[in-house]
Amino acid sequence: MKIGVFDSGIGGLNVLKELLDKYPNNTYYYFGDNINIPYGTKTKYELTILSSKIIDFLILKEVDLIIIACGTISSNIYFDLKQKYNIPIYDIISPTIEYLNNSNYQKIGVLATEMTVKSQIFNQINKEIYQIPCPKLVPLIEDNLDYTDVLAEYLKQLPKVDTIVLGCTHYPVFEKYLNKLNYKTINMGKVLCEKLNLKNNKELKIRLYFSKVDHNLITNIDKIIKYDYQLEELCLNYQK
Ligand code: DGL
């Protein structure tokens, strides 16, 4: 199968990594729009323009399905995109909501972008929910800088919870760190992969497209996915 995956930057690579582990031997086209990052503070109108350009590009690559590996797009405009396009599109958040509604967790913390929290999508979880918008984290992760102090400040805003949802796809980069601090975490990419039922074909191919390629990006890619890939810089002309 040809599978399209996209995000505002490297965050969706955490989802791609889960896909590669569970469904290797497919062709993956990944687009990271890091020139326009962050998406988490953009308007719905801007998010629609940006994601439509990416989806149009992935359709030109003849993908069979598209995975929105971005919590912000999934929470704000998933249904608009699904209506607009005639190709299977999966969002990253609804499998996690379904999973949590069927779980024994009672008190749940959610770390996410401002626009994801604003969308109120996680209010669909029928448990006690504490949502913290964390606008400072994505730029630190993209620039490969230390996020621990900033993360600690956000964690202080949470009461004691049973688990924390990594509600932005950039956040699995600190999942192990949180687990070492004894926090249980939910990785939305993992939950999605459990739910998807994809076939494995004969051969693995990974094409990564980013709107800006630099040294930080290459370091970040190598930290997240340990597979061979082809990398290309490709900016999809976005004007405000
Ligand atoms: N990784 C994305 C998300 O899951 C976007 C983060 C951003 O660009 O602000 O929300």
Side-chain angles (χ1 to χ4, degrees):
M1 286 184 103
K2 285 188 178 180
I3 301 167
V5 182
F6 74 95
D7 179 40
S8 62
I10 58 157
L13 292 177
N14 293 300
V15 180
L16 179 64
K17 188 205 163 272
E18 301 301 333
L19 286 160
L20 291 166
D21 288 352
K22 191 154 165 97
Y23 306 107
N25 303 342
N26 284 299
T27 300
Y28 288 94
Y29 290 91
Y30 181 90
F31 193 94
D33 193 13
N34 51 349
I35 213 161
N36 291 307
I37 209 157
Y39 276 14
T41 48
K42 291 202 163 36
T43 61
K44 278 194 189 193
Y45 174 73
E46 290 170 317
L47 294 173
T48 304
I49 294 179
L50 292 167
S51 49
S52 299
K53 281 184 188 295
I54 300 170
I55 293 174
D56 290 342
F57 167 74
L58 293 172
I59 288 174
L60 279 179
K61 294 288 171 196
E62 298 182 330
V63 295
D64 301 301
L65 61 97
I66 291 177
I67 294 174
I68 305 176
C70 171
T72 306
I73 303 266
S74 298
S75 56
N76 283 281
I77 54 167
Y78 171 55
F79 289 102
D80 303 334
L81 294 174
K82 240 178 117 68
Q83 260 193 342
K84 180 168 170 190
Y85 290 98
N86 195 10
I87 178 170
I89 304 184
Y90 296 87
D91 79 294
I92 190 74
I93 293 188
S94 54
T96 288
I97 293 178
E98 194 187 321
Y99 167 77
L100 287 168
N101 279 339
N102 293 319
S103 75
N104 291 327
Y105 296 123
Q106 292 308 324
K107 274 178 107 172
I108 297 161
V110 177
L111 305 179
T113 67
E114 279 174 299
M115 277 300 277
T116 297
V117 173
K118 205 172 151 207
S119 78
Q120 302 196 349
I121 194 153
F122 284 105
N123 294 8
Q124 292 172 21
I125 301 172
N126 55 18
K127 318 267 173 153
E128 236 176 286
I129 299 287
Y130 300 89
Q131 300 183 62
I132 312 290
C134 310
K136 290 185 188 157
L137 287 173
V138 164
L140 292 175
I141 295 168
E142 285 282 326
D143 293 342
N144 208 7
L145 297 170
D146 183 23
Y147 47 73
T148 46
D149 290 347
V150 170
L151 179 57
E153 285 304 313
Y154 289 133
L155 290 171
K156 271 191 210 158
Q157 297 175 37
L158 277 181
K160 197 171 175 346
V161 287
D162 301 331
T163 189
I164 294 181
V165 179
L166 304 171
C168 163
T169 53
H170 278 73
Y171 302 170
V173 300
F174 51 70
E175 183 164 27
K176 282 203 180 111
Y177 174 79
L178 286 182
N179 296 155
K180 270 196 199 136
L181 296 177
N182 281 330
Y183 288 102
K184 278 206 181 109
T185 45
I186 311 272
N187 178 331
M188 299 192 296
K190 275 205 173 79
V191 181
L192 171 75
C193 285
E194 283 306 316
K195 205 185 157 189
L196 285 175
N197 197 5
L198 304 180
K199 293 198 180 78
N200 281 308
N201 287 354
K202 287 199 190 92
E203 204 189 1
L204 169 66
K205 276 193 197 150
I206 307 170
R207 306 244 157 93
L208 304 181
Y209 299 88
F210 281 85
S211 41
K212 187 183 71 184
V213 171
D214 61 18
H215 182 70
N216 273 336
L217 173 71
I218 293 168
T219 314
N220 282 330
I221 297 174
D222 289 338
K223 268 205 251 170
I224 298 174
I225 56 166
K226 317 251 177 312
Y227 292 84
D228 281 341
Y229 57 82
Q230 274 185 29
L231 175 64
E232 214 175 290
E233 182 169 301
L234 177 83
C235 186
L236 297 175
N237 270 333
Y238 163 64
Q239 260 122 31
K240 269 198 182 173

